[in-house]
Amino acid sequence: MEQQIKQAAKRTRTSFAYFWVLPILLVILGETGGTWVGVYADDVRATYFAETLTILLTASCVPVSLKLFSWVLTKKIDVVSISQALRLYAFWSGVRLALLAVPVLAGFFTYYMMLSNKGVLCALIALTASLFCFPSEERLRKELHINKEE
């Protein structure tokens, strides 16, 4: 049982690390230049569309990702066996991070392609929200109501 708990915690930490590596790579790619940086900076319609889409994605994905996980935790995960709960916990943690990755990527693409500060603001909002999803074994035990065996 302890091995399964440690493995599920490791899986959630790994997915969280991948979540943070992706925007870091995107920022490095954007800051080192490239032909795609500022491509639509002079297109007002494209900039407006991208900014609006990024703001709407952030306004919808951030609360949904945080609230959906707590709903799934109480309705789906708490009612199954512990081994099934650990598998579902890792899966839904990944879904939550995927939902947060959408506004992060859209925000950075808007920032670099349109040179719009609204994009980076939305990306930072989603990245900040991901800090509320920071995985740890203690948090997993607390959310799944597992007492540490001494």
Side-chain angles (χ1 to χ4, degrees):
M1 177 60 71
E2 286 296 315
Q3 183 64 22
Q4 289 178 337
I5 293 170
K6 290 184 187 310
Q7 187 178 18
K10 182 180 177 184
R11 245 182 283 141
T12 57
R13 282 191 303 270
T14 303
S15 63
F16 190 78
Y18 285 140
F19 171 81
W20 274 88
V21 166
L22 188 62
I24 290 171
L25 290 176
L26 189 59
V27 167
I28 290 171
L29 185 65
E31 291 298 323
T32 57
T35 59
W36 62 281
V37 175
V39 170
Y40 296 107
D42 60 345
D43 190 351
V44 177
R45 287 183 186 204
T47 301
Y48 176 76
F49 177 74
E51 288 173 348
T52 303
L53 182 65
T54 303
I55 291 167
L56 290 175
L57 281 172
T58 304
S60 61
C61 287
V62 169
V64 165
S65 68
L66 298 176
K67 195 61 182 166
L68 175 70
F69 187 76
S70 67
W71 180 81
V72 167
L73 191 63
T74 58
K75 301 288 184 196
K76 304 276 186 192
I77 297 176
D78 284 346
V79 296
V80 296
S81 67
I82 192 67
S83 60
Q84 181 77 2
L86 289 169
R87 188 183 63 74
L88 287 172
Y89 185 87
F91 172 76
W92 283 103
S93 292
V95 169
R96 174 172 55 178
L97 288 176
L99 279 171
L100 287 174
V102 171
V104 169
L105 295 176
F108 280 122
F109 277 120
T110 300
Y111 176 64
Y112 285 112
M113 292 182 79
M114 317 300 179
L115 300 177
S116 168
N117 290 337
K118 292 173 188 74
V120 79
L121 176 65
C122 291
L124 291 176
I125 289 170
L127 286 172
T128 303
S130 76
L131 297 176
F132 292 103
C133 309
F134 188 77
S136 68
E137 186 177 337
E138 294 80 30
R139 182 176 184 154
L140 182 141
R141 288 179 182 276
K142 182 180 144 212
E143 288 179 340
L144 293 181
H145 312 292
I146 301 171
N147 295 324
K148 179 114 175 150
E149 296 174 5
E150 302 292 334

